[in-house]
Amino acid sequence: MTTTLSLHPPSARLRLSEQSFQDGSARRIDGAWWPRSYDLTAELPGLLARLPHRWGQISSVLVNGAMWSLSGDGTRIEDQGVHLRRTDLPRAEHTICLLAPGYGRWDLLVVPPAATEAEAERLMETATADAPLAGRTA
């Protein structure tokens, strides 16, 4: 089962896998996010506001440095400091990693902002399908 959290109806901008809510599930991708731009400081507050409370307070975010526009190394969201980090690893090119001390780590597929609604829906559905990762096709 897939849980969809809507940022701006009618199109869903965040979709989380139901498996990401279960303890002990080993997934490489916990959901998919379709931001409106690659300006992380502008997009991050909306994303964090829609995450499940059980994920805890996100304190650190890791993104691909070449893909995202960042101003500084942190931002304040509802009086909470969030450390922004960059990586140049090719395997992290289309993901965002969210870390919450004492709660865990969650990796979201980032759907390109320029994607059409149909493309975004297909990518988000594929990323959050409950089928085992080994059985998925790209």
Side-chain angles (χ1 to χ4, degrees), residues 2 4 15 32 120-130 136:
T2 299
T4 301
R15 181 173 295 171
E121 180 62 30
R122 182 184 57 79
L123 289 169
M124 294 172 85
E125 179 64 31
T126 300
T128 59
D130 289 338
R136 290 193 192 165

Side-chain angles (χ1 to χ4, degrees), residues 83-106:
H83 183 68
L84 307 177
R85 299 182 350 207
R86 300 174 190 251
T87 183
D88 293 325
L89 296 173
R91 63 182 165 81
E93 185 176 7
H94 297 287
T95 62
I96 183 170
C97 176
L98 308 170
L99 302 168
Y103 288 89
R105 166 191 173 146
W106 294 273

Side-chain angles (χ1 to χ4, degrees), residues 66-77:
M67 184 177 278
W68 290 93
S69 169
L70 302 175
S71 57
D73 67 349
T75 189
R76 302 236 25 111
I77 299 170

Side-chain angles (χ1 to χ4, degrees), residues 15-113:
R15 181 173 295 171
L16 302 175
S17 168
E18 186 65 34
Q19 290 179 2
S20 70
F21 293 99
Q22 299 170 4
D23 293 332
S25 66
R27 292 184 52 83
R28 284 183 274 167
I29 296 294
D30 297 295
W33 175 46
W34 184 22
R36 298 187 183 283
S37 74
Y38 282 116
D39 181 349
L40 190 60
T41 54
E43 297 291 336
L44 192 57
L47 170 64
L48 297 182
R50 277 132 185 108
L51 294 176
H53 290 294
R54 68 173 40 183
W55 283 19
Q57 291 198 331
I58 303 300
S59 66
S60 187
V61 174
L62 178 65
V63 296
N64 180 279
M67 184 177 278
W68 290 93
S69 169
L70 302 175
S71 57
D73 67 349
T75 189
R76 302 236 25 111
I77 299 170
E78 296 182 10
D79 294 327
Q80 174 191 353
V82 177
H83 183 68
L84 307 177
R85 299 182 350 207
R86 300 174 190 251
T87 183
D88 293 325
L89 296 173
R91 63 182 165 81
E93 185 176 7
H94 297 287
T95 62
I96 183 170
C97 176
L98 308 170
L99 302 168
Y103 288 89
R105 166 191 173 146
W106 294 273
D107 295 306
L108 302 178
L109 172 76
V110 176
V111 175

